[in-house]
């Protein structure tokens, strides 16, 4: 483990007192040790990018030269957004990103429309064999890379074998491509190619999966399944800064810390987008301020500003769009490390957490309480789920019943978070206070550099607790229960394992009856809650400001290439 700088707040033995909210965050008396780990160096990657964006704004916005704001792009023909960058190149590669990828530049066989209907994309049509295990995709004859070269079945085979190659070290290949025969063998180094892939000809790709699985096509909407150009990738270096993609827009300029410019792909196989340009201003400042001054066309609104724009008397109230994300926040307990190898300890930490106070104070009431993995709106969500309640007395009793005998018997506990120096985020501070107050447990907070936080989590380089969360890649409970909690899943970062749960999930994978399948996933959810491998916190809400001249925008709970459905009217 890398050398760490230890920062200890004064009087760590003093019990913390929750005093409420101030402009600087959660008001506490010191009780948390913090330390920073500087390493040699994502459905959480968006949050990490937001941290990077905030820090860079603070350090660069005031010194930005005037030329950085000038543009030769006709802004009345451009959708102007705000954004940031990461120094981690893996996040720009479809095979290794932990986020939703760049759907302006890249595309796959299928995608979602704004209503989250699965629709043909690079594949114009497909057939499925009678036993549900062989998919035959017919690629569009007019599908081309941005340089004009035709997309072929062999391009998909190259892209997917590259993702599964151990040398690529993808944290997502098994999750999204693992149903294909031969992917697991290639990912483990036992094979040099994926046996379940076959190019019938240039425009017909045959894919064989290991069992009939109703959700298989949904997984192909994730960036790991997107097609990339071999010549582009094997050019090496930062090839992703000049990508030869297939998506509705071409990346034509990338000036770090200034802007990224996309130009509409006039040869896009589904028809050229209506908006000629998409411009992303990098680290330009506070999103709401930029929106109010007319420098950007769309911005997200955080919980701090939501109350203002929800007020009907606010002039911009009519430009606010609200929605519910298909996201679940949680904190992961590493079940392979003491003391969270004991279910009673996990339950105690969960039942010592007051969700409602957390939502009211830290998030200003702008979130929904989460007691299980499925967010509202996801098939399988049920209000009948029996969550672990907030019960400090029962939490202390469970801690006594554990093999550690109580708080005094616990080993030192480290909470790994993404951050800089000795900073402790308000959400972590709030949880630490509750555990201190209700269980008498003091934790140490360890910060990892945010650009490489997820890489370190996947490598196992973390404490016994770490921040997590998951947003749906596709609207199916398999994407939560199986992907996050099945033994050995790539995304099961806490090492949780329950053979009974595994059996249920494996049965649900191949169940063709929708009603029976949902019932299996609801049983699985209750098992997960009872075992408390994570502490479920919230389901987030979405608030966005959109200019009146921006048409066709829909706040989808799953990221799609929404820009290709939009147009500008009177900008």
């Amino acid at each position: 483990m890398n050398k760490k700088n230890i920062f200890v707040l004064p009087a760590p033995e003093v019990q913390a007192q929750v005093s409420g909210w101030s402009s600087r965050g959660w008001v506490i008396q010191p009780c948390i040790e913090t330390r920073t780990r500087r390493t040699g160096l994502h459905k959480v990657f968006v949050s990490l990018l937001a941290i990077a964006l905030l820090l860079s704004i603070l350090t660069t916005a005031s010194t930005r030269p005037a030329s950085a704001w000038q543009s030769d792009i006709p802004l009345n023909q451009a959708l102007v957004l705000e954004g940031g960058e990461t120094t981690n190149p893996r996040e720009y590669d479809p095979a290794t990103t932990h986020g939703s990828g760049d759907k302006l530049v890249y595309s796959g066989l299928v995608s979602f429309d704004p209503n989250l209907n699965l629709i043909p994309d690079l594949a114009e049509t497909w057939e499925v064999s009678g036993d549900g295990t062989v998919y035959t995709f017919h690629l569009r004859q007019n599908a081309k890379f941005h340089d004009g070269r035709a997309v072929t079945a062999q391009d998909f085979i190259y892209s997917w074998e590259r993702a599964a190659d151990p040398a690529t070290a993808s944290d997502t290949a098994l999750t999204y491509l693992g149903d294909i025969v031969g992917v697991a063998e290639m990912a483990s180094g036992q094979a040099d190619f994926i046996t379940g892939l076959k190019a019938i000809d240039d425009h017909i790709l045959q894919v064989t999966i290991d069992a009939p699985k109703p959700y298989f096509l949904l997984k192909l909407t994730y960036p790991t399944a997107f097609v990339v150009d071999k010549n582009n990738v094997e050019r090496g270096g930062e090839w992703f800064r000049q990508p030869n993609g297939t998506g509705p827009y071409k990346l034509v300029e990338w000036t770090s810390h200034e802007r990224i410019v996309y130009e509409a792909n006039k040869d896009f196989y589904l028809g050229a987008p209506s908006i000629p340009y998409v411009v992303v201003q990098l680290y330009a400042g506070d999103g709401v301020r930029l929106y109010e001054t007319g420098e950007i066309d769309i911005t997200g609104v955080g919980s701090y500003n939501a109350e203002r724009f929800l007020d009907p008397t606010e002039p911009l109230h009519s430009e606010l769009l609200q929605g519910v994300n298909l996201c679940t926040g949680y904190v992961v307990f590493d079940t392979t490390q003491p003391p969270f190898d004991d279910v009673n300890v996990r339950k105690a930490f969960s039942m010592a957490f007051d969700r409602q106070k957390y939502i009211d104070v830290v998030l200003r009431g702008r979130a929904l309480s989460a007691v299980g993995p499925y967010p509202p709106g996801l098939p399988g969500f049920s209000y009948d789920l029996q969550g672990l309640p907030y019960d400090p007395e029962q939490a202390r009793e469970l801690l006594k019943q554990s093999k550690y005998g109580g708080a005094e018997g616990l080993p030192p506990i480290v909470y790994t978070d993404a951050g800089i120096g000795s900073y402790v985020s308000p959400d972590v501070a709030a949880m630490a206070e509750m555990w201190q107050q209700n269980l008498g447990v003091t934790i140490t907070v360890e910060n990892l550099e945010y650009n490489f936080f997820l890489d370190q989590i996947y490598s196992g380089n973390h404490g016994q607790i770490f921040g997590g969360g998951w947003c749906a890649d596709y609207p199916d409970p398999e994407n939560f229960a199986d992907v996050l909690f099945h033994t050995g899943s790539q995304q099961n970062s806490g090492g949780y394992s329950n053979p009974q749960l595994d059996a249920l999930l494996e049965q649900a994978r191949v169940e063709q009856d929708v009603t029976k399948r949902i019932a299996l996933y609801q049983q699985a959810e209750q098992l997960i809650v009872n075992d408390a491998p994570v502490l479920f916190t919230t389901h987030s809400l979405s608030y966005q400001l959109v200019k009146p001249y921006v048409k066709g925008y829909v706040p989808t709970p799953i990221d799609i290439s929404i820009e290709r459905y939009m147009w500008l009217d009177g900008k």
Side-chain angles (χ1 to χ4, degrees):
M1 189 169 288
N2 296 342
K3 183 178 180 180
K4 306 174 184 67
N5 297 320
I6 308 297
F7 180 85
V8 183
L9 294 175
E13 72 281 1
V14 178
Q15 181 172 341
Q17 299 295 323
V18 177
S19 305
W21 179 265
S22 78
S23 61
R24 299 185 64 183
W26 189 258
V27 179
I28 59 173
Q29 297 296 324
C31 77
I32 309 169
E33 300 177 60
T34 66
R35 59 185 175 182
T36 302
R37 184 195 319 190
R38 294 195 178 276
T39 68
L41 305 169
H42 51 172
K43 243 104 355 350
V44 190
F45 177 63
V46 173
S47 299
L48 300 180
L49 190 58
I51 297 173
L53 177 61
L54 174 61
L55 293 172
S56 294
I57 286 171
L58 295 175
T59 58
T60 66
S62 62
T63 60
R64 182 177 303 280
S67 61
W69 300 98
Q70 297 171 359
S71 173
D72 54 355
I73 300 297
L75 294 183
N76 64 334
Q77 299 179 40
L79 178 70
V80 184
L81 309 172
E82 59 179 320
E85 300 170 290
T86 173
T87 58
N88 186 348
R90 288 169 58 81
E91 299 302 346
Y92 296 113
D93 185 339
T96 56
T97 183
H98 297 106
S100 56
D102 191 340
K103 293 184 173 71
L104 294 182
V105 171
Y106 302 101
S107 59
L109 294 171
V110 293
S111 61
F112 291 119
D113 70 10
N115 295 316
L116 299 188
N117 297 307
L118 187 74
I119 60 172
D121 203 294
L122 280 166
E124 187 169 22
T125 61
W126 58 86
E127 300 97 34
V128 185
S129 63
D131 66 357
T133 63
V134 180
Y135 288 72
T136 304
F137 297 95
H138 299 266
L139 304 184
R140 295 181 187 273
Q141 297 287 333
N142 65 336
K144 300 176 182 177
F145 286 98
H146 291 162
D147 68 356
R149 184 174 71 80
V151 178
T152 69
Q154 193 58 47
D155 289 316
F156 273 97
I157 293 176
Y158 165 77
S159 300
W160 294 2
E161 288 185 341
R162 174 177 175 269
D165 190 330
T168 303
S170 172
D171 295 320
T172 56
L174 285 175
T175 301
Y176 301 98
L177 301 177
D179 299 312
I180 301 172
V181 173
V183 166
E185 289 76 10
M186 185 168 182
S188 64
Q190 300 175 40
D192 296 326
F193 60 95
I194 298 174
T195 56
L197 299 181
K198 182 179 181 181
I200 304 299
D201 62 29
D202 281 352
H203 289 92
I204 300 178
L205 174 68
Q206 187 179 88
V207 181
T208 303
I209 61 176
D210 55 14
K213 296 177 177 177
Y215 54 80
F216 172 67
L217 284 175
L218 302 178
K219 292 201 171 204
L220 300 185
T221 63
Y222 192 77
T224 308
F226 289 176
V227 68
V228 294
D229 174 31
K230 180 178 180 179
N231 291 334
N232 182 210
V233 173
E234 296 188 353
R235 185 176 63 194
E238 295 185 323
W239 62 269
F240 49 82
R241 296 182 74 93
Q242 295 178 310
N244 186 29
T246 54
Y249 283 85
K250 300 179 181 181
L251 196 162
V252 295
E253 180 190 335
W254 184 347
T255 305
S256 286
H257 294 279
E258 292 187 15
R259 69 178 186 175
I260 297 175
V261 178
Y262 299 91
E263 183 177 10
N265 177 10
K266 295 178 181 179
D267 295 323
F268 185 53
Y269 48 88
L270 295 175
S274 296
I275 300 178
Y277 300 96
V278 176
V279 177
V280 182
Q281 299 282 15
L282 300 175
Y283 309 118
D286 176 71
V288 170
R289 181 190 65 80
L290 293 170
Y291 184 88
E292 290 181 298
T293 57
E295 295 176 68
I296 59 176
D297 300 321
I298 301 174
T299 188
V301 177
S303 58
Y304 184 81
N305 288 311
E307 187 173 353
R308 169 192 163 187
F309 296 106
L310 287 167
D311 183 348
T313 64
E314 159 63 43
L316 294 177
H317 173 74
S318 62
E319 298 175 23
L320 182 71
L321 296 181
Q322 305 177 54
V324 177
N325 293 325
L326 290 177
C327 297
T328 301
Y330 53 79
V331 172
V332 181
F333 301 130
D334 188 334
T335 64
T336 69
Q337 294 190 58
F340 298 105
D341 55 346
D342 189 310
V343 65
N344 285 327
V345 175
R346 301 196 299 269
K347 286 185 175 181
F349 272 68
S350 292
M351 296 176 73
F353 175 69
D354 188 340
R355 286 177 184 81
Q356 196 56 54
K357 177 177 280 188
Y358 174 83
I359 291 171
D360 291 343
V361 179
V362 178
L363 302 178
R364 300 189 165 214
R366 302 303 174 191
L368 303 176
S369 178
V371 297
Y374 306 155
L378 187 82
F381 173 81
S382 173
Y383 287 106
D384 295 330
L385 177 68
Q386 299 298 309
L388 296 176
Y390 173 59
D391 188 338
E393 184 177 351
Q394 179 63 17
R396 289 188 290 271
E397 180 60 31
L398 285 168
L399 208 55
K400 289 179 183 178
Q401 292 176 13
S402 75
K403 64 183 179 182
Y404 299 97
E408 64 281 355
L410 299 180
I413 296 175
V414 175
Y415 187 116
T416 301
D417 198 19
I420 299 295
S422 59
Y423 175 75
V424 179
S425 63
D427 59 325
V428 175
M431 283 184 276
E433 279 195 40
M434 293 179 190
W435 292 330
Q436 173 75 12
Q437 286 182 330
N438 296 326
L439 299 177
V441 176
T442 298
I443 68 169
T444 297
V445 177
E446 169 188 72
N447 281 334
L448 294 180
E449 184 186 352
Y450 49 84
N451 284 302
F452 298 92
F453 174 77
L454 291 175
D455 285 336
Q456 292 297 296
I457 294 300
Y458 279 101
S459 70
N461 195 14
H462 54 71
Q464 301 108 305
I465 315 176
F466 50 91
W470 192 259
C471 293
D473 303 305
Y474 43 91
D476 192 285
E478 183 272 346
N479 189 224
F480 285 80
D482 203 330
V483 166
L484 297 176
F485 299 106
H486 189 278
T487 300
S489 168
Q490 278 188 305
Q491 314 309 319
N492 184 354
S493 48
Y496 167 67
S497 179
N498 180 336
Q500 184 183 359
L501 175 67
D502 291 346
L504 266 178
L505 294 175
E506 288 161 17
Q507 182 182 351
R509 288 176 186 175
V510 296
E511 177 57 61
Q512 303 300 307
D513 183 279
V514 174
T515 302
K516 293 179 180 178
R517 187 168 175 269
I518 292 299
L520 289 170
Y521 280 119
Q522 289 176 335
Q523 292 177 51
E525 183 181 36
Q526 191 64 64
L527 281 178
I528 293 166
V529 169
N530 294 345
D531 277 353
V534 304
L535 162 57
F536 296 105
T537 56
T538 61
H539 302 299
S540 57
L541 301 175
S542 171
Y543 302 95
Q544 296 178 73
L545 289 168
V546 181
K547 293 292 185 182
Y549 52 75
V550 174
K551 305 298 182 181
Y553 179 78
V554 178
T556 58
I558 293 175
D559 183 66
I560 70 167
S561 181
I562 188 65
E563 291 83 356
R564 77 178 182 88
Y565 295 94
M566 295 163 57
W567 69 98
L568 302 175
D569 184 7
K571 181 177 180 182

